[in-house]
Amino acid sequence: AASGSKDNTVRMWQLDQPKAVPVVLRGHEDSSVSSVSSVALSADGKTLASCSDDKTVRLWQLDQPTAKHVVLCGHKDCVTSVALS
């Protein structure tokens, strides 16, 4: 499971170990008015996409969650939804 938050992080939760500390993905710009507004997992479970008020979409490779992620730019305002197909 994955969640996005007003603290500009994405957290990955292990459903079979609900008390385990989640993996925290950082990268969205920190701002008092910014937050991660949506997350989506790819069908194969290898990629997570997140979007934010920082006007970006970010792609994370889940087999290496702390590795450098891809940043997609171009929106002129907050990105409120993301989907993968």
Side-chain angles (χ1 to χ4, degrees), residues 12 23 25 42 44-49 58-70 84:
M12 296 293 304
V23 173
L25 306 177
S42 63
D44 63 7
K46 294 181 180 180
T47 305
L48 180 136
R58 293 173 192 257
L59 301 175
W60 313 82
Q61 296 307 311
L62 297 182
D63 59 346
Q64 298 178 336
T66 58
K68 186 71 176 157
H69 55 275
V70 175
L84 293 171

Side-chain angles (χ1 to χ4, degrees), residues 6-78:
K6 189 147 179 82
D7 68 4
N8 295 303
T9 65
V10 173
R11 293 177 192 259
M12 296 293 304
W13 308 89
Q14 296 180 39
L15 296 180
D16 59 342
Q17 298 177 2
K19 294 188 180 198
V21 176
V23 173
V24 179
L25 306 177
R26 300 179 190 280
H28 284 286
E29 291 182 22
D30 195 11
S31 162
S32 62
V33 297
S34 183
S35 65
V36 176
S37 52
S38 182
V39 297
L41 289 167
S42 63
D44 63 7
K46 294 181 180 180
T47 305
L48 180 136
S50 61
C51 65
S52 170
D53 296 345
D54 69 3
K55 304 175 189 173
T56 66
V57 172
R58 293 173 192 257
L59 301 175
W60 313 82
Q61 296 307 311
L62 297 182
D63 59 346
Q64 298 178 336
T66 58
K68 186 71 176 157
H69 55 275
V70 175
V71 180
L72 304 175
C73 301
H75 286 279
K76 300 208 184 291
D77 207 339
C78 303

